[in-house]
Amino acid sequence: MSLFSKFDALAERRRALAETGAKPFDVVVERIISPTEAIVNGQEMIMAGTNNYLGLTFDPSCVAAARDAVSAEGTGTTGSRMANGTFASHIALEQDIAEFFGRQSAIIFSTGYLANLGILSALTDRDDVIVIDADCHASIYDGCKMGGAEVIRFRHNDANDLAKRLRRLGARAPNALIVIEGIYSMLGDRAPMSEIAAVKREYGGYLLVDEAHSLGVLGERGLVEVADEHDSVDFITGTFSKSLGATGGFCVSDLPELDLIRMSSRPYVFTASMCPSVIASTRAALAALRKRPELRDALWRNANRLYEHLTSLGYELGPHPSPVIAALVPDIDEALALWTGLLRRGIYVNLVFPPATPRACYLLRCSVSAAHTTEQIDKICNAFSDTQKEFLSSSAA
Amino acid sequence: MDTFDERLAVLCGLLQPHAEKGIVVTAETMLASDLGIDSAQLMEVLLEVEDEFDVSIPLNVLPNVQTVEELMNELQKLIAAAG
């Protein structure tokens, strides 16, 4: 039993995958052209798996802000805020985010993953209990594990199952932390926010909502805003890496204790802080998100168009249109054939394997952007149609 | 359904439909290797088990649970704690 024996099964899966000729984990973006186009394997590609929901990565205001900041403040902070000091721009972004969400305070983290890791691990310890939706992101699972709290899952998007779990907790329920997401990353489905908030009001507890995929997508601020549940939610986490086109993460809250978490969160204390250029582009993107609601309109037009087309082709998708549109494919051979067929036709989507997927299915996961033109969406639709036809005729032969 | 053996029989019955053909689930059955299901599928099966015994199994205990009997031991503790 060597140090590397644990990788044997993974190595075997990778070898078997390589034998098929598909290389979904070896995609190199050789040149990025725009929020929706790139050169991949020497071929021009429409990028339909980027999470670049508002298409702001090349927005002139964001690029200019980043350029100015890197000229004025340098390329990096070279360390953590606790050790090396907080830049004025860190404070400014925290004020922007807190004000944007209408909350008392905010903490920013170097990535969205670290935001969940940093908040969950510092907020809870072995005396606490966390009740999480079963389909929560790995950063939530990892944050729970790092804190050492008792972790209980409830069935995905099932408020009755959450209620059952809280009932079983008895006197511990009012101190439990419930964790859900605004939009779930695999199928693009959203949490039943009002039902979950009602359960929380009945049993007590604290509620944390991760708006990573819903910020700027559902309303301006995410699911909590569109469900009108501001007062039911104690913590909102999220990322700057999707609709804001940068990198970094945050937590906002009205609870005064949030600032104490800053002092005890290892993923906050022991890592380099956000660099000035990323802070600057994030702040510019946040301003764009607020000033330009037409971006969200374009995003939803594109999402609805692609969702309707994939539905018409007979694919099983998430339960409702969303900028994350994932076709569930039960068979690996079909999934690989479709993914490579799309790539050959100049369309890049994500291929996701179990166990990261619901119901042990394979996912052809698209994410739509406001920056996609109608023509690009139609090319994606046509590529799906042609690839499906090709697969069906080759299967019949 | 109050004794360990009675509950164990119920647990084996819940797990049996998920076992590979030819495998009879007993106390010694290894949850990961003998049932022939991956970790995500096992988590789904555990939801059924939780419903049956009206307990919530903390994820924290699972790394120490390899056999059906070890799972039953954890369930016994949870049932006792629930009173």
Side-chain angles (χ1 to χ4, degrees):
Chain A
M1 195 79 168
S2 83
L3 180 64
F4 302 106
S5 298
K6 62 177 82 63
F7 299 114
D8 289 351
L10 184 63
E12 174 52 27
R13 284 185 77 182
R14 190 172 71 167
R15 189 198 57 73
L17 188 60
E19 274 185 4
T20 69
K23 296 179 179 174
F25 304 121
D26 294 336
V27 169
V28 176
V29 177
E30 289 148 7
R31 188 162 68 84
I32 187 85
I33 299 168
S34 75
T36 59
E37 300 157 296
I39 303 295
V40 175
N41 298 339
Q43 184 186 357
E44 199 163 306
M45 201 70 60
I46 295 174
M47 303 304 280
T50 61
N51 303 329
N52 194 354
Y53 300 127
L54 299 184
L56 290 173
T57 47
F58 281 77
D59 186 85
S61 67
C62 299
V63 172
R67 189 182 289 133
D68 290 349
V70 82
S71 297
E73 297 181 72
T75 54
T77 60
T78 66
S80 84
R81 289 170 64 178
M82 295 292 273
N84 295 32
T86 285
F87 283 34
S89 55
H90 289 128
I91 303 282
L93 178 55
E94 287 180 340
Q95 287 171 344
D96 282 357
I97 287 290
E99 188 266 330
F100 173 67
F101 279 98
R103 300 283 178 171
Q104 290 296 312
S105 56
I107 304 179
I108 56 170
F109 293 83
S110 302
T111 68
Y113 175 88
L114 288 177
N116 279 331
L117 201 69
I119 291 296
L120 291 165
S121 65
L123 195 56
T124 60
D125 61 24
R126 63 175 59 191
D127 296 326
D128 297 311
V129 57
I130 311 179
V131 188
I132 66 174
D133 184 288
D135 281 8
C136 275
H137 187 258
S139 58
I140 291 170
Y141 277 89
D142 292 355
C144 291
K145 192 173 179 183
M146 189 173 171
E150 186 177 317
V151 184
I152 291 167
R153 300 182 323 153
F154 67 94
R155 284 183 170 85
H156 175 52
N157 273 353
D158 188 335
N160 290 329
D161 199 51
L162 170 63
K164 200 188 321 177
R165 311 277 167 176
L166 292 173
R167 171 183 57 76
R168 287 174 188 155
L169 285 175
R172 298 177 74 196
N175 204 42
L177 177 65
I178 304 159
V179 184
I180 61 169
E181 298 182 23
I183 287 180
Y184 287 87
S185 60
M186 286 295 122
L187 295 182
D189 50 338
R190 65 184 77 170
M193 185 71 236
S194 296
E195 288 91 331
I196 284 174
V199 170
K200 182 218 166 186
R201 284 192 290 273
E202 183 179 352
Y203 289 92
Y206 296 88
L207 180 55
L208 182 153
V209 182
D210 180 352
E211 300 270 27
H213 289 268
S214 37
L215 167 66
V217 169
L218 299 175
E220 279 189 2
R221 299 168 190 80
L223 182 64
V224 177
E225 174 193 297
V226 297
D228 196 18
E229 290 290 355
H230 180 103
D231 294 341
S232 306
V233 176
D234 303 284
F235 303 94
I236 293 175
T237 59
T239 179
F240 304 135
S241 66
K242 300 182 184 353
S243 50
L244 299 180
T247 185
F250 66 88
C251 177
V252 295
S253 178
D254 286 325
L255 297 171
E257 292 85 355
L258 185 66
D259 205 48
L260 292 171
I261 291 175
R262 194 191 296 277
M263 318 280 285
S264 56
S265 172
R266 297 174 69 85
Y268 175 89
V269 172
F270 294 106
T271 196
S273 60
M274 283 181 75
C275 63
S277 56
V278 175
I279 293 171
S281 81
T282 301
R283 295 186 70 199
L286 190 62
L289 182 161
R290 304 180 82 169
K291 277 186 206 149
R292 294 160 61 192
E294 67 273 16
L295 292 174
R296 197 160 51 254
D297 296 340
L299 171 67
W300 280 100
R301 267 197 310 279
N302 289 337
N304 287 326
R305 195 174 183 89
L306 181 58
Y307 187 91
E308 281 168 22
H309 185 77
L310 295 190
T311 301
S312 75
L313 292 179
Y315 285 111
E316 183 185 355
L317 307 174
H320 39 66
S322 159
V324 177
I325 303 169
L328 283 92
V329 180
D331 177 71
I332 186 169
D333 292 332
E334 182 179 356
L336 289 172
L338 294 173
W339 184 81
T340 51
L342 288 168
L343 203 65
R344 209 169 53 245
R345 290 174 173 84
I347 308 296
Y348 175 77
V349 303
N350 311 131
L351 176 59
V352 192
F353 289 70
T357 57
R359 304 211 302 274
C361 277
Y362 296 84
L363 293 183
L364 290 167
R365 180 175 170 273
C366 311
S367 61
V368 170
S369 173
H372 281 123
T373 62
T374 303
E375 187 190 11
Q376 286 176 326
I377 294 293
D378 287 345
K379 279 186 182 169
I380 299 168
C381 291
N382 292 337
F384 264 97
S385 298
D386 294 345
T387 304
Q388 187 190 48
K389 262 185 229 156
E390 181 181 72
F391 175 74
L392 291 174
S393 62
S394 69
S395 304
Chain B
M1 192 179 69
D2 287 335
T3 70
F4 183 92
D5 286 344
E6 285 170 336
R7 288 177 179 144
L8 182 61
V10 171
L11 178 60
C12 291
L14 284 173
L15 298 174
Q16 189 61 56
H18 304 282
E20 282 191 333
K21 207 171 177 183
I23 297 275
V24 175
V25 177
T26 66
E28 289 76 35
T29 299
M30 301 288 285
L31 290 167
S33 52
D34 290 347
L35 289 182
I37 57 178
D38 65 26
S39 58
Q41 290 167 310
L42 178 60
M43 297 307 285
E44 290 300 310
V45 176
L46 290 180
L47 292 171
E48 289 176 41
V49 172
E50 290 175 313
D51 279 349
E52 176 63 33
F53 293 101
D54 196 23
V55 293
S56 298
I57 305 169
L59 296 183
N60 319 53
V61 307
L62 295 179
N64 298 323
V65 171
Q66 294 190 27
T67 66
V68 171
E69 184 172 19
E70 286 167 348
L71 176 59
M72 192 64 243
N73 287 335
E74 292 298 334
L75 288 167
Q76 285 285 95
K77 286 184 214 164
L78 292 166
I79 293 164

